[in-house]
Amino acid sequence: MKKHTFHTLWLLSCLMLSPCVFSCQNDETAGDTFQQEKLVTHLYVPETTFYVSAIETLTIQGKGFQAGDRFCLRGNGSEEIPLETSALESTYVTFAVPRDLATGEYTLTLVRGIEEQALGILKFRQSIDLNVPDKPGMTIRGAVFCGEKAIQGAVVSDGVEVTTTDESGYYWLPSEKYHGYVFVTIPSGYLPLAEGSLPQFWQPLTGSLLEHEQHNFELVETDNDNFTLFVTTDIHLANRNSDLTQYNSIVVPDLLASMEACGTRPFYTMVLGDMSWDQFWYANKFNLENYITTLNEAELPSLFFHLPGNHDNDPYCPDDFKAEAAYKELLGPTYYSFNLGKVHCIALDNNVYINNGGTEGVSGDRTFRSYLTQIQLDWLRKDLALVDKQTPILVGLHCPIFGFNSDLEVTNAMYAESDRTNLLNCFEGFTDVHFLTGHTHYNHNTVYSPSIMEHNTAAACSTWWWTGKYGNGQVCRDGSPGGYSIFEIDGTKIKWRYKGFGLDADRQFLTYDMNQVKRHFSINQMAVNFLKVYPSRDDYRDVGENIVYINVWNWDADWEIKVNDGTRDLPVDQIYQRDPLHTISYDVPRVSEAGEYTQSFASTPLIHLFSVQAPDANTTLTITVTDRFGNVYKEVMSRPKSFSTNSYNQ
């Protein structure tokens, strides 16, 4: 894989070893460097990175070592470093690791008289003293550090208990190992090491309940007070509907172009769940592991922070905790926090998997409920207790917490009103909280209070890849283009916008000449047949003559919409209605192909749709949309304006 050094440190996973003799035979990552006609053959040289402070001796296995053999390390451009052997047999050699060995890669070399042999590459890193003393009652201990610098005050948690590191960078947790992992809340000014696109801020627990185990976290200093966060959700890769082709040909190039446009500005990506699709984990043999492979093969130069969606659960498990096991094994904590610059970020899991009927070899009904478990709420309060209330907070969840009704009123979107209340109460007193959510496959912004706002982002897969499969572009259920949100953070100031795949960043709305929309549904044979099957979906029958619809994807109440007919500004009304482009991009062709559509995939009424009465059928309208940050988007709409999937995908 090509290595990116843009904002990610691409290193092999660093494994802390206890200060004792190391046997390569027990190292699962040892490379078999079998060599014939060499001084020593059948060599096993570990590929692990060793922390110098944590290992005193190292043992290399092979065949053919002899008394009198000498060994040395040769670094890139450095002088030869002789090694002191403490044991030498024909099948192994043990040597002391020099305490002053600089961080780097070294060639381990055997010298025998005038002959010599390169045995392999050894990687060493300098660090703080990693010999963290044990404490009674503490089942997890470790260190958080940056090279030889101890990081004091770093937050470490097992998802239940929360602690901070001392002046030596050490931490201890009285963990009952409920979740089976430990993680560090990345401190401001640092980043974790990474494997591919995945930040290594967590480690699995390997010991028994009462066993004391050590887990260290190495971080890298970074200056990211000003950064860009790409927020994407609902990728739903399942090896169907040409999704992998669409992902690699549409999603990846668009994200890459946006990332490259950042220049030297740091950027990161947050994925709000449903990377996979539980229904097809076994049917199509495509699960979270396949998603990670696909992500890493894309080689996007960004750290990707994930959280689970309801479709990222094992459909054979009728239990939320057990259904999360695969996610935890591959992607780590289902809820956690991290700091980027001056912003505190939190990833939460607000989908509780019910999955009635699931059992080994049999998928259940994949039902779930949207709320936070009590153990997660308790952890969240502990995490927030360590955060200054003036700090901007970005909270990622899969399912939205706010909804809306046909009267354009804000409603509760969680399982119960009390579930939303319990969540919001955790943020009491904080001055700038942004909830980032997905799941719905449409855009919806809710300003709940002066300090709380939700950004519900439309899907990367649009309508589960269907509109792309039909050749109708990337269209979500509300007519938004498939895409992602972009948050620009400068210190404590946050701005955001929505970016549609394949569209210029200044493209923020679509317009419809409803005269032509109604005409399409009366003469297009597929549309006519659609209305015969679904007569109740004659959504535009009562729309008057010379009406224009304007769909402003990322609208909220602080946006302004003006429409001028050349002589005056026309009244603009917010309406509750379905988007016509999505209807002909998914609903109509799906019924034509299969005789019916999937109800949860169908066009949905939206509240960021606006209606204008034009003077006649031919008047040109100048439509000016201004977002809350003063950015102006304009269209001069010549009418009649044609309506078809082709006319909107040019």
Side-chain angles (χ1 to χ4, degrees), residues 451-605:
S451 61
I452 293 178
M453 182 173 182
E454 179 179 42
H455 311 258
N456 188 218
T457 295
C461 73
S462 303
T463 303
W464 291 264
W465 305 106
W466 281 106
T467 62
K469 177 188 177 183
Y470 288 136
N472 296 331
Q474 309 300 311
V475 189
C476 294
R477 299 177 62 212
D478 64 340
S480 296
Y484 49 97
S485 294
I486 302 176
F487 284 76
E488 301 281 352
I489 293 92
D490 292 301
T492 58
K493 296 181 179 179
I494 304 175
K495 294 182 178 181
W496 56 89
R497 56 191 167 94
Y498 185 74
K499 172 68 173 66
F501 294 130
L503 301 180
D504 186 88
D506 287 337
R507 186 80 174 272
Q508 291 293 318
F509 64 91
L510 283 181
T511 59
Y512 303 105
D513 187 335
M514 295 307 293
N515 290 345
Q516 300 304 308
V517 170
K518 291 191 296 181
R519 180 174 183 272
H520 178 91
F521 277 90
S522 67
I523 66 173
N524 179 273
Q525 193 58 52
M526 285 177 60
V528 170
N529 291 338
F530 166 77
L531 292 180
K532 289 180 180 178
V533 178
Y534 288 94
S536 65
R537 285 295 314 278
D538 195 355
D539 301 315
Y540 316 112
R541 177 184 56 197
D542 298 329
V543 175
E545 291 300 303
N546 307 324
I547 296 292
V548 167
Y549 279 2
I550 307 167
N551 188 344
V552 187
W553 310 315
N554 208 31
W555 175 88
D556 66 58
D558 285 341
W559 287 49
E560 183 181 57
I561 303 171
K562 289 186 176 181
V563 180
N564 189 280
D565 66 358
T567 60
R568 64 188 180 97
D569 288 340
L570 303 176
V572 179
D573 297 317
Q574 184 183 5
I575 61 174
Y576 182 78
Q577 178 60 284
R578 292 183 177 91
D579 176 87
L581 178 60
H582 184 264
T583 300
I584 65 169
S585 296
Y586 168 74
D587 302 358
V588 169
R590 184 62 179 153
V591 170
S592 178
E593 178 189 63
E596 62 180 356
Y597 57 64
T598 301
Q599 184 63 44
S600 58
F601 297 178
S603 301
T604 183

Side-chain angles (χ1 to χ4, degrees), residues 182-198:
V182 61
F183 59 89
V184 61
T185 295
I186 303 165
S188 296
Y190 293 92
L191 288 176
L193 305 182
E195 287 186 358
S197 297
L198 304 181

Side-chain angles (χ1 to χ4, degrees), residues 630-649:
N631 299 306
V632 178
Y633 316 101
K634 184 177 289 187
E635 177 187 336
V636 177
M637 183 184 183
S638 297
R639 300 172 55 250
K641 181 178 181 178
S642 63
F643 178 72
S644 68
T645 56
N646 288 337
S647 65
Y648 283 86
N649 290 321

Side-chain angles (χ1 to χ4, degrees), residues 239-257:
N239 195 25
R240 66 191 295 274
N241 282 354
S242 68
D243 55 359
L244 296 174
T245 298
Q246 293 188 61
Y247 175 79
N248 286 308
S249 63
I250 297 171
V251 177
V252 171
D254 199 290
L255 273 171
L256 181 59

Side-chain angles (χ1 to χ4, degrees), residues 33-45:
T33 55
F34 179 79
Q35 302 176 65
Q36 295 286 358
E37 300 178 358
K38 297 290 185 179
L39 302 178
V40 178
T41 62
H42 295 78
L43 281 163
Y44 288 85
V45 179

Side-chain angles (χ1 to χ4, degrees), residues 336-347:
Y336 57 96
S337 64
F338 56 101
N339 294 288
L340 295 175
K342 299 181 184 299
V343 176
H344 187 62
C345 304
I346 306 173

Side-chain angles (χ1 to χ4, degrees), residues 279-290:
Q279 183 177 351
F280 299 100
W281 274 27
Y282 299 104
N284 287 8
K285 295 181 171 58
F286 198 99
N287 54 29
L288 282 171
E289 188 171 7
N290 302 103

